[in-house]
Amino acid sequence: MSVKVVEIKDLETFIYAVENSSLTVTSEKLGIDQSTVTKRINNIEKKEPVNYFV
């Protein structure tokens, strides 16, 4: 069994995105580009392939 490590910044971004239901608002609150938000969420999805956003 392998351990899958999630970066704190990726998890923080994911939580903001869930709370705000908006990648744009998440990027504004965290002060990062929207493309960075998408990349961080993709990092989580690659480690645990589940459809988080429907």
Side-chain angles (χ1 to χ4, degrees):
M1 182 169 111
S2 66
V3 175
K4 298 175 183 177
V5 177
V6 175
E7 298 292 327
I8 295 294
K9 65 183 180 195
D10 295 344
L11 188 56
E12 175 187 41
T13 302
F14 176 77
I15 290 169
Y16 268 91
V18 170
E19 289 177 341
N20 294 292
S21 300
S22 169
L23 299 182
T24 302
V25 172
T26 299
S27 68
E28 291 170 356
K29 285 191 173 188
L30 293 176
I32 57 177
D33 293 333
Q34 190 171 340
S35 62
T36 303
V37 172
T38 301
K39 287 176 190 173
R40 289 181 179 179
I41 291 171
N42 285 338
N43 289 340
I44 293 174
E45 291 175 335
K46 286 177 191 171
K47 291 184 177 160
E48 198 60 48
V50 175
N51 196 2
Y52 293 100
F53 296 99
V54 179

